[in-house]
Amino acid sequence: MSYRERRKWPRLPLAIPVFVRSQDEKGKEFLEFATALNISAGGVLVAVRRSLPPSARILLEIPSAPLAATAKLPKASRSIRAKCVRVIHAEGYHLVGLKFSKPLVDSTENNQEVSVLRRKVSSARVKRFSLSPAIV
């Protein structure tokens, strides 16, 4: 039986420090330092110490240097709302799959980017060139 990929966006295998803000089973708010292990426009896999219940509401906060907060840089998300969709319990930590409330990119942008990427790959196959000096 073959596995069919259901994700809309590719995952990037990046280890990014994040803060996970949510509520425990008793309704008490907590903030935990965690690590995002991979991320896509639609979600993230986070390693946390605290067990989260499935369907928990999460606020993922990405720390940034003070310069990024004050400089006139392009808009970037630093706080992202998400929902817990999967939890894998391991020894000493939990791998939590989070789905973002809103994708980080518009799905139409994603389709355009994929289309452009396909065109670039196709044209790269046709236009082969070398950076070495031409022998005449």
Side-chain angles (χ1 to χ4, degrees):
M1 186 167 142
S2 66
Y3 173 77
R4 185 176 152 260
E5 181 62 55
R6 297 179 307 173
R7 294 182 185 93
K8 283 185 176 180
W9 298 280
R11 291 181 174 201
L12 300 174
L14 301 172
I16 301 171
V18 295
F19 290 102
V20 173
R21 186 180 301 271
S22 189
Q23 293 182 348
D24 63 16
E25 298 82 26
K26 297 176 184 173
K28 184 177 179 188
E29 189 173 302
F30 69 86
L31 178 67
E32 180 179 335
F33 188 66
T35 302
L37 301 174
N38 66 49
I39 190 164
S40 74
V44 64
L45 179 66
V46 180
V48 296
R49 296 265 181 211
R50 183 183 300 249
S51 179
L52 295 169
S55 74
R57 300 286 178 191
I58 308 292
L59 182 63
L60 196 66
E61 299 176 3
I62 303 169
S64 63
L67 171 64
T70 59
K72 296 197 186 288
L73 298 174
K75 184 183 176 195
S77 297
R78 292 182 51 210
S79 293
I80 306 166
R81 295 197 182 283
K83 177 181 167 184
C84 179
V85 293
R86 179 172 51 106
V87 180
I88 299 172
H89 303 285
E91 195 170 320
Y93 61 93
H94 308 276
L95 296 176
V96 180
L98 301 175
K99 181 179 179 182
F100 299 143
S101 298
K102 291 184 348 188
L104 299 180
V105 295
D106 182 8
S107 61
T108 56
E109 287 178 27
N110 184 47
N111 291 338
Q112 290 170 350
E113 289 170 10
V114 168
S115 177
V116 167
L117 182 59
R118 285 186 185 138
R119 283 195 305 262
K120 286 182 181 179
V121 169
S122 296
S123 66
R125 289 184 192 135
V126 174
K127 300 176 190 174
R128 294 184 183 255
F129 64 96
S130 173
L131 295 176
S132 60
I135 300 174
V136 186

